Amino acid sequence: MTLPVETTLRSPEAYGLSRRVIDEMETAGVWPTPLNFELWLHYLGDPESALGREMQRMLGAREPFTEAVADMLAAEYLPRGRLTEEIRDAGRVLDRELSSVADAISRAHKSQSAYGQTLDKAATSIETAGDGAALKTIVGGLTTATRRIQRENETLEKKLDASTREVARLREHLEQVRRDAMTDALTNLANRKAFDEHLIAACEQAETTGEPLVLAVLDVDHFKRFNDTWGHQTGDQVLRYVASVIGRFGQAPRVAARYGGEEFALIFPREDARQVAIALEAIRKEIASRSLRRRSTNDELGAVTISAGFAVRQPGDTHTSLLERADSALYASKRAGRNRVTSAEALEQAA
Ligand code: C2E
């Protein structure tokens, strides 16, 4: 079975695959631009995927691999291309709905003014009407005009109802697409992109309000060794387990994210160092206390541990400097023997 490329890239095969990508691009005379690299990575990592088959066909037919072709393949087959396509589709549906609502409103507007004219004319005719028969004709004309406008109003109402439903459906779909784009597929935590956005917003908020903000980074200890011993499918399960614990402690307004391969992050708005240290210790202990089993063979895998570091935002800290300080604390935890939590402030004071 072919593994997803994202999984292969965090496995022992990652470097071999990357080297093959470079070699094959050189053989094919293709520049190793970031986009080409990504396309070839997906092609060689999963040759039987739709992109893999299309590229085999193109290369077999010696079709030139130009930048336009690369853009087209990316839009068609890469996950971010699919996202753009979904957004474009939604835009098209919205356009269609808006123009049909605009048409319906303009038709209704015309009918209303024609009806107004009919009423005006009737008012004048009534003044000059000589007998009952003439009045009867005028009232008959008014009744017909009123029925017509009623029908048109009903049609407009139905059209507006249908469009409202369609726009609500679209909004829900776009919201799902937006959530997917911000969610890490393996762990269901916020992904790196969402994390970056949350952290920038949290730093701005803390800067404006003067409220405290703490950032923590957490990393699974010896994950590579674990992956090499038990395989990356089990490695993925371990990540899911660690993520499930972190996620439980990362309920809003906290933000829990998978920041990289085996690295996680937690944002703690409006909390101080003491509260954060307690939460991180609880996460660390809970993860270390459980012995995991390999699902396929029921082998005892033992417990995994995590190391963590956290930093309290200081005046003038940007999201990047805050992240760097939390990272230094994480690496201090690793150096000190892993399975522990270190605060950047304690580290800085000691230095
Ligand atoms: P999952 O396999 O989708 O399981 C989701 C949740 O179902 C688990 O959340 C747990 O509450 C429950 N669950 C599933 N299987 C068992 C079981 O055999 N015994 C018990 N008592 N409960 C079970 P939890 O514990 O937070 O785990 C989250 C994810 O972490 C799991 O998702 C799985 O991907 C991974 N994981 C957790 N423990 C293990 C383990 O011992 N071995 C492996 N291979 N993966 C594990």
Side-chain angles (χ1 to χ4, degrees), residues 233-234 236-242 244-245 248 290-296 301:
Q233 264 155 342
T234 304
D236 280 355
Q237 297 283 312
V238 169
L239 293 177
R240 276 162 59 84
Y241 170 59
V242 169
S244 76
V245 178
R248 248 186 297 118
R290 170 141 156 203
S291 181
L292 303 177
R293 283 189 173 276
R294 192 180 192 199
R295 293 255 156 101
S296 50
L301 304 171

PDB file of all heavy atoms in Angstrom, residues 233-234 236-242 244-245 248 290-296 301, ligand 1:
ATOM      1  N   GLN A 233       3.070   4.027  10.572  1.00  0.00           N
ATOM      2  CA  GLN A 233       1.634   3.962  10.881  1.00  0.00           C
ATOM      3  C   GLN A 233       1.415   4.021  12.388  1.00  0.00           C
ATOM      4  O   GLN A 233       0.569   4.757  12.877  1.00  0.00           O
ATOM      5  CB  GLN A 233       1.021   2.689  10.316  1.00  0.00           C
ATOM      6  CG  GLN A 233       0.380   2.974   8.975  1.00  0.00           C
ATOM      7  CD  GLN A 233       0.302   1.750   8.108  1.00  0.00           C
ATOM      8  OE1 GLN A 233       1.005   0.760   8.335  1.00  0.00           O
ATOM      9  NE2 GLN A 233      -0.553   1.803   7.121  1.00  0.00           N
ATOM     10  N   THR A 234       2.256   3.271  13.110  1.00  0.00           N
ATOM     11  CA  THR A 234       2.172   3.330  14.569  1.00  0.00           C
ATOM     12  C   THR A 234       2.611   4.713  15.048  1.00  0.00           C
ATOM     13  O   THR A 234       2.021   5.273  15.975  1.00  0.00           O
ATOM     14  CB  THR A 234       3.041   2.208  15.194  1.00  0.00           C
ATOM     15  OG1 THR A 234       2.591   0.979  14.638  1.00  0.00           O
ATOM     16  CG2 THR A 234       2.915   2.156  16.690  1.00  0.00           C
ATOM     17  N   ASP A 236       2.126   7.470  13.572  1.00  0.00           N
ATOM     18  CA  ASP A 236       0.972   8.371  13.400  1.00  0.00           C
ATOM     19  C   ASP A 236      -0.029   8.212  14.539  1.00  0.00           C
ATOM     20  O   ASP A 236      -0.634   9.174  15.006  1.00  0.00           O
ATOM     21  CB  ASP A 236       0.261   8.083  12.067  1.00  0.00           C
ATOM     22  CG  ASP A 236       0.988   8.723  10.892  1.00  0.00           C
ATOM     23  OD1 ASP A 236       1.965   9.452  11.147  1.00  0.00           O
ATOM     24  OD2 ASP A 236       0.574   8.499   9.743  1.00  0.00           O
ATOM     25  N   GLN A 237      -0.211   6.963  14.978  1.00  0.00           N
ATOM     26  CA  GLN A 237      -1.150   6.716  16.095  1.00  0.00           C
ATOM     27  C   GLN A 237      -0.650   7.403  17.369  1.00  0.00           C
ATOM     28  O   GLN A 237      -1.440   7.926  18.144  1.00  0.00           O
ATOM     29  CB  GLN A 237      -1.269   5.209  16.361  1.00  0.00           C
ATOM     30  CG  GLN A 237      -1.850   4.422  15.214  1.00  0.00           C
ATOM     31  CD  GLN A 237      -3.353   4.584  15.136  1.00  0.00           C
ATOM     32  OE1 GLN A 237      -4.026   4.448  16.133  1.00  0.00           O
ATOM     33  NE2 GLN A 237      -3.854   4.908  13.964  1.00  0.00           N
ATOM     34  N   VAL A 238       0.668   7.352  17.540  1.00  0.00           N
ATOM     35  CA  VAL A 238       1.236   8.006  18.718  1.00  0.00           C
ATOM     36  C   VAL A 238       0.969   9.521  18.648  1.00  0.00           C
ATOM     37  O   VAL A 238       0.582  10.146  19.647  1.00  0.00           O
ATOM     38  CB  VAL A 238       2.759   7.725  18.807  1.00  0.00           C
ATOM     39  CG1 VAL A 238       3.421   8.607  19.852  1.00  0.00           C
ATOM     40  CG2 VAL A 238       2.986   6.256  19.130  1.00  0.00           C
ATOM     41  N   LEU A 239       1.146  10.068  17.462  1.00  0.00           N
ATOM     42  CA  LEU A 239       0.880  11.511  17.311  1.00  0.00           C
ATOM     43  C   LEU A 239      -0.583  11.805  17.628  1.00  0.00           C
ATOM     44  O   LEU A 239      -0.913  12.814  18.254  1.00  0.00           O
ATOM     45  CB  LEU A 239       1.210  11.982  15.886  1.00  0.00           C
ATOM     46  CG  LEU A 239       2.689  11.947  15.509  1.00  0.00           C
ATOM     47  CD1 LEU A 239       2.875  12.371  14.053  1.00  0.00           C
ATOM     48  CD2 LEU A 239       3.497  12.872  16.422  1.00  0.00           C
ATOM     49  N   ARG A 240      -1.464  10.907  17.181  1.00  0.00           N
ATOM     50  CA  ARG A 240      -2.890  11.127  17.456  1.00  0.00           C
ATOM     51  C   ARG A 240      -3.174  11.057  18.953  1.00  0.00           C
ATOM     52  O   ARG A 240      -3.989  11.819  19.473  1.00  0.00           O
ATOM     53  CB  ARG A 240      -3.742  10.084  16.702  1.00  0.00           C
ATOM     54  CG  ARG A 240      -4.030  10.495  15.260  1.00  0.00           C
ATOM     55  CD  ARG A 240      -4.469   9.311  14.437  1.00  0.00           C
ATOM     56  NE  ARG A 240      -5.665   8.676  14.963  1.00  0.00           N
ATOM     57  CZ  ARG A 240      -6.909   9.068  14.710  1.00  0.00           C
ATOM     58  NH1 ARG A 240      -7.102  10.118  13.935  1.00  0.00           N
ATOM     59  NH2 ARG A 240      -7.939   8.429  15.200  1.00  0.00           N
ATOM     60  N   TYR A 241      -2.486  10.137  19.616  1.00  0.00           N
ATOM     61  CA  TYR A 241      -2.699  10.022  21.063  1.00  0.00           C
ATOM     62  C   TYR A 241      -2.212  11.288  21.784  1.00  0.00           C
ATOM     63  O   TYR A 241      -2.948  11.889  22.575  1.00  0.00           O
ATOM     64  CB  TYR A 241      -1.991   8.773  21.612  1.00  0.00           C
ATOM     65  CG  TYR A 241      -1.994   8.774  23.117  1.00  0.00           C
ATOM     66  CD1 TYR A 241      -3.195   8.796  23.816  1.00  0.00           C
ATOM     67  CD2 TYR A 241      -0.811   8.833  23.842  1.00  0.00           C
ATOM     68  CE1 TYR A 241      -3.222   8.852  25.199  1.00  0.00           C
ATOM     69  CE2 TYR A 241      -0.826   8.888  25.235  1.00  0.00           C
ATOM     70  CZ  TYR A 241      -2.035   8.901  25.897  1.00  0.00           C
ATOM     71  OH  TYR A 241      -2.060   8.986  27.258  1.00  0.00           O
ATOM     72  N   VAL A 242      -0.974  11.692  21.471  1.00  0.00           N
ATOM     73  CA  VAL A 242      -0.414  12.898  22.107  1.00  0.00           C
ATOM     74  C   VAL A 242      -1.327  14.089  21.811  1.00  0.00           C
ATOM     75  O   VAL A 242      -1.661  14.888  22.692  1.00  0.00           O
ATOM     76  CB  VAL A 242       1.033  13.143  21.594  1.00  0.00           C
ATOM     77  CG1 VAL A 242       1.541  14.514  22.022  1.00  0.00           C
ATOM     78  CG2 VAL A 242       1.957  12.042  22.112  1.00  0.00           C
ATOM     79  N   SER A 244      -4.476  14.046  21.204  1.00  0.00           N
ATOM     80  CA  SER A 244      -5.771  13.987  21.903  1.00  0.00           C
ATOM     81  C   SER A 244      -5.632  14.540  23.317  1.00  0.00           C
ATOM     82  O   SER A 244      -6.528  15.212  23.815  1.00  0.00           O
ATOM     83  CB  SER A 244      -6.341  12.566  21.889  1.00  0.00           C
ATOM     84  OG  SER A 244      -5.659  11.766  22.828  1.00  0.00           O
ATOM     85  N   VAL A 245      -4.489  14.272  23.960  1.00  0.00           N
ATOM     86  CA  VAL A 245      -4.286  14.804  25.308  1.00  0.00           C
ATOM     87  C   VAL A 245      -4.093  16.326  25.242  1.00  0.00           C
ATOM     88  O   VAL A 245      -4.755  17.079  25.972  1.00  0.00           O
ATOM     89  CB  VAL A 245      -3.067  14.127  25.995  1.00  0.00           C
ATOM     90  CG1 VAL A 245      -2.848  14.719  27.381  1.00  0.00           C
ATOM     91  CG2 VAL A 245      -3.275  12.621  26.073  1.00  0.00           C
ATOM     92  N   ARG A 248      -7.307  18.166  24.617  1.00  0.00           N
ATOM     93  CA  ARG A 248      -8.213  18.271  25.772  1.00  0.00           C
ATOM     94  C   ARG A 248      -7.826  19.436  26.667  1.00  0.00           C
ATOM     95  O   ARG A 248      -8.667  20.096  27.258  1.00  0.00           O
ATOM     96  CB  ARG A 248      -8.194  16.961  26.561  1.00  0.00           C
ATOM     97  CG  ARG A 248      -9.521  16.246  26.454  1.00  0.00           C
ATOM     98  CD  ARG A 248      -9.606  15.027  27.333  1.00  0.00           C
ATOM     99  NE  ARG A 248      -8.642  14.012  26.968  1.00  0.00           N
ATOM    100  CZ  ARG A 248      -7.675  13.569  27.768  1.00  0.00           C
ATOM    101  NH1 ARG A 248      -7.534  14.063  28.985  1.00  0.00           N
ATOM    102  NH2 ARG A 248      -6.845  12.630  27.370  1.00  0.00           N
ATOM    103  N   ARG A 290       0.650   6.511  30.297  1.00  0.00           N
ATOM    104  CA  ARG A 290      -0.115   5.468  29.600  1.00  0.00           C
ATOM    105  C   ARG A 290       0.792   4.604  28.719  1.00  0.00           C
ATOM    106  O   ARG A 290       1.576   5.137  27.940  1.00  0.00           O
ATOM    107  CB  ARG A 290      -1.173   6.163  28.715  1.00  0.00           C
ATOM    108  CG  ARG A 290      -1.857   5.226  27.794  1.00  0.00           C
ATOM    109  CD  ARG A 290      -3.306   5.574  27.695  1.00  0.00           C
ATOM    110  NE  ARG A 290      -3.873   5.093  26.471  1.00  0.00           N
ATOM    111  CZ  ARG A 290      -4.954   5.601  25.925  1.00  0.00           C
ATOM    112  NH1 ARG A 290      -5.532   6.663  26.478  1.00  0.00           N
ATOM    113  NH2 ARG A 290      -5.438   5.084  24.841  1.00  0.00           N
ATOM    114  N   SER A 291       0.631   3.322  28.856  1.00  0.00           N
ATOM    115  CA  SER A 291       1.411   2.428  28.013  1.00  0.00           C
ATOM    116  C   SER A 291       0.592   2.128  26.755  1.00  0.00           C
ATOM    117  O   SER A 291      -0.548   1.684  26.850  1.00  0.00           O
ATOM    118  CB  SER A 291       1.717   1.152  28.784  1.00  0.00           C
ATOM    119  OG  SER A 291       2.481   0.312  27.962  1.00  0.00           O
ATOM    120  N   LEU A 292       1.177   2.398  25.601  1.00  0.00           N
ATOM    121  CA  LEU A 292       0.422   2.220  24.351  1.00  0.00           C
ATOM    122  C   LEU A 292       0.659   0.818  23.780  1.00  0.00           C
ATOM    123  O   LEU A 292       1.654   0.173  24.093  1.00  0.00           O
ATOM    124  CB  LEU A 292       0.857   3.269  23.337  1.00  0.00           C
ATOM    125  CG  LEU A 292       0.711   4.723  23.779  1.00  0.00           C
ATOM    126  CD1 LEU A 292       1.245   5.669  22.722  1.00  0.00           C
ATOM    127  CD2 LEU A 292      -0.756   5.050  24.060  1.00  0.00           C
ATOM    128  N   ARG A 293      -0.282   0.436  22.920  1.00  0.00           N
ATOM    129  CA  ARG A 293      -0.141  -0.873  22.273  1.00  0.00           C
ATOM    130  C   ARG A 293      -0.173  -0.676  20.763  1.00  0.00           C
ATOM    131  O   ARG A 293      -0.879   0.195  20.263  1.00  0.00           O
ATOM    132  CB  ARG A 293      -1.314  -1.785  22.654  1.00  0.00           C
ATOM    133  CG  ARG A 293      -1.160  -2.337  24.034  1.00  0.00           C
ATOM    134  CD  ARG A 293      -2.194  -3.405  24.348  1.00  0.00           C
ATOM    135  NE  ARG A 293      -1.867  -4.006  25.627  1.00  0.00           N
ATOM    136  CZ  ARG A 293      -0.992  -4.994  25.770  1.00  0.00           C
ATOM    137  NH1 ARG A 293      -0.401  -5.530  24.716  1.00  0.00           N
ATOM    138  NH2 ARG A 293      -0.733  -5.473  26.962  1.00  0.00           N
ATOM    139  N   ARG A 294       0.590  -1.532  20.080  1.00  0.00           N
ATOM    140  CA  ARG A 294       0.545  -1.479  18.619  1.00  0.00           C
ATOM    141  C   ARG A 294      -0.742  -2.182  18.197  1.00  0.00           C
ATOM    142  O   ARG A 294      -0.966  -3.345  18.551  1.00  0.00           O
ATOM    143  CB  ARG A 294       1.758  -2.210  18.070  1.00  0.00           C
ATOM    144  CG  ARG A 294       1.956  -1.979  16.618  1.00  0.00           C
ATOM    145  CD  ARG A 294       3.180  -2.744  16.182  1.00  0.00           C
ATOM    146  NE  ARG A 294       3.594  -2.341  14.870  1.00  0.00           N
ATOM    147  CZ  ARG A 294       4.382  -3.057  14.112  1.00  0.00           C
ATOM    148  NH1 ARG A 294       4.862  -4.200  14.574  1.00  0.00           N
ATOM    149  NH2 ARG A 294       4.704  -2.642  12.923  1.00  0.00           N
ATOM    150  N   ARG A 295      -1.575  -1.469  17.436  1.00  0.00           N
ATOM    151  CA  ARG A 295      -2.901  -2.034  17.128  1.00  0.00           C
ATOM    152  C   ARG A 295      -2.820  -3.317  16.309  1.00  0.00           C
ATOM    153  O   ARG A 295      -3.549  -4.262  16.557  1.00  0.00           O
ATOM    154  CB  ARG A 295      -3.740  -0.987  16.367  1.00  0.00           C
ATOM    155  CG  ARG A 295      -4.090   0.226  17.220  1.00  0.00           C
ATOM    156  CD  ARG A 295      -5.536   0.198  17.663  1.00  0.00           C
ATOM    157  NE  ARG A 295      -5.734   0.979  18.871  1.00  0.00           N
ATOM    158  CZ  ARG A 295      -6.246   2.201  18.906  1.00  0.00           C
ATOM    159  NH1 ARG A 295      -6.592   2.804  17.801  1.00  0.00           N
ATOM    160  NH2 ARG A 295      -6.414   2.816  20.054  1.00  0.00           N
ATOM    161  N   SER A 296      -1.875  -3.373  15.324  1.00  0.00           N
ATOM    162  CA  SER A 296      -1.862  -4.520  14.409  1.00  0.00           C
ATOM    163  C   SER A 296      -1.420  -5.801  15.114  1.00  0.00           C
ATOM    164  O   SER A 296      -1.902  -6.895  14.788  1.00  0.00           O
ATOM    165  CB  SER A 296      -0.940  -4.220  13.224  1.00  0.00           C
ATOM    166  OG  SER A 296       0.297  -3.754  13.690  1.00  0.00           O
ATOM    167  N   LEU A 301       3.982  -1.097  23.382  1.00  0.00           N
ATOM    168  CA  LEU A 301       4.919  -0.089  22.855  1.00  0.00           C
ATOM    169  C   LEU A 301       5.589   0.681  23.995  1.00  0.00           C
ATOM    170  O   LEU A 301       6.553   1.396  23.778  1.00  0.00           O
ATOM    171  CB  LEU A 301       4.171   0.928  21.976  1.00  0.00           C
ATOM    172  CG  LEU A 301       3.376   0.381  20.802  1.00  0.00           C
ATOM    173  CD1 LEU A 301       2.536   1.479  20.178  1.00  0.00           C
ATOM    174  CD2 LEU A 301       4.313  -0.193  19.758  1.00  0.00           C
TER     175      LEU A 301
HETATM  176  P1  C2E B   1      -8.797   6.238  18.005  1.00  0.00           P
HETATM  177  O1  C2E B   1      -8.254   4.890  17.748  1.00  0.00           O
HETATM  178  O2  C2E B   1      -9.687   6.801  16.936  1.00  0.00           O
HETATM  179  O3  C2E B   1      -9.576   6.212  19.387  1.00  0.00           O
HETATM  180  C1  C2E B   1     -10.373   7.313  19.806  1.00  0.00           C
HETATM  181  C2  C2E B   1     -10.788   7.156  21.241  1.00  0.00           C
HETATM  182  O4  C2E B   1     -11.558   5.955  21.410  1.00  0.00           O
HETATM  183  C3  C2E B   1      -9.615   6.996  22.224  1.00  0.00           C
HETATM  184  O5  C2E B   1      -9.143   8.274  22.586  1.00  0.00           O
HETATM  185  C4  C2E B   1     -10.265   6.242  23.375  1.00  0.00           C
HETATM  186  O6  C2E B   1     -11.028   7.136  24.150  1.00  0.00           O
HETATM  187  C5  C2E B   1     -11.239   5.326  22.649  1.00  0.00           C
HETATM  188  N1  C2E B   1     -10.574   4.015  22.368  1.00  0.00           N
HETATM  189  C6  C2E B   1     -10.213   3.513  21.182  1.00  0.00           C
HETATM  190  N2  C2E B   1      -9.671   2.287  21.302  1.00  0.00           N
HETATM  191  C7  C2E B   1      -9.688   2.003  22.624  1.00  0.00           C
HETATM  192  C8  C2E B   1      -9.264   0.854  23.395  1.00  0.00           C
HETATM  193  O7  C2E B   1      -8.771  -0.138  22.863  1.00  0.00           O
HETATM  194  N3  C2E B   1      -9.439   0.926  24.749  1.00  0.00           N
HETATM  195  C9  C2E B   1      -9.966   2.026  25.363  1.00  0.00           C
HETATM  196  N4  C2E B   1     -10.081   2.045  26.688  1.00  0.00           N
HETATM  197  N5  C2E B   1     -10.397   3.120  24.656  1.00  0.00           N
HETATM  198  C10 C2E B   1     -10.257   3.090  23.319  1.00  0.00           C
HETATM  199  P2  C2E B   1      -7.654   8.441  23.086  1.00  0.00           P
HETATM  200  O8  C2E B   1      -7.317   7.448  24.137  1.00  0.00           O
HETATM  201  O9  C2E B   1      -7.497   9.886  23.482  1.00  0.00           O
HETATM  202  O10 C2E B   1      -6.750   8.148  21.807  1.00  0.00           O
HETATM  203  C11 C2E B   1      -6.706   9.008  20.710  1.00  0.00           C
HETATM  204  C12 C2E B   1      -5.995   8.358  19.561  1.00  0.00           C
HETATM  205  O11 C2E B   1      -4.654   8.042  19.958  1.00  0.00           O
HETATM  206  C13 C2E B   1      -6.610   7.040  19.126  1.00  0.00           C
HETATM  207  O12 C2E B   1      -7.629   7.290  18.185  1.00  0.00           O
HETATM  208  C14 C2E B   1      -5.410   6.343  18.504  1.00  0.00           C
HETATM  209  O13 C2E B   1      -5.175   6.852  17.210  1.00  0.00           O
HETATM  210  C15 C2E B   1      -4.270   6.795  19.392  1.00  0.00           C
HETATM  211  N6  C2E B   1      -4.019   5.808  20.480  1.00  0.00           N
HETATM  212  C16 C2E B   1      -4.358   5.939  21.782  1.00  0.00           C
HETATM  213  N7  C2E B   1      -3.942   4.868  22.464  1.00  0.00           N
HETATM  214  C17 C2E B   1      -3.356   4.035  21.582  1.00  0.00           C
HETATM  215  C18 C2E B   1      -2.694   2.752  21.720  1.00  0.00           C
HETATM  216  O14 C2E B   1      -2.566   2.156  22.792  1.00  0.00           O
HETATM  217  N8  C2E B   1      -2.207   2.228  20.580  1.00  0.00           N
HETATM  218  C19 C2E B   1      -2.318   2.848  19.376  1.00  0.00           C
HETATM  219  N9  C2E B   1      -1.797   2.239  18.265  1.00  0.00           N
HETATM  220  N10 C2E B   1      -2.906   4.059  19.221  1.00  0.00           N
HETATM  221  C20 C2E B   1      -3.408   4.638  20.329  1.00  0.00           C
END
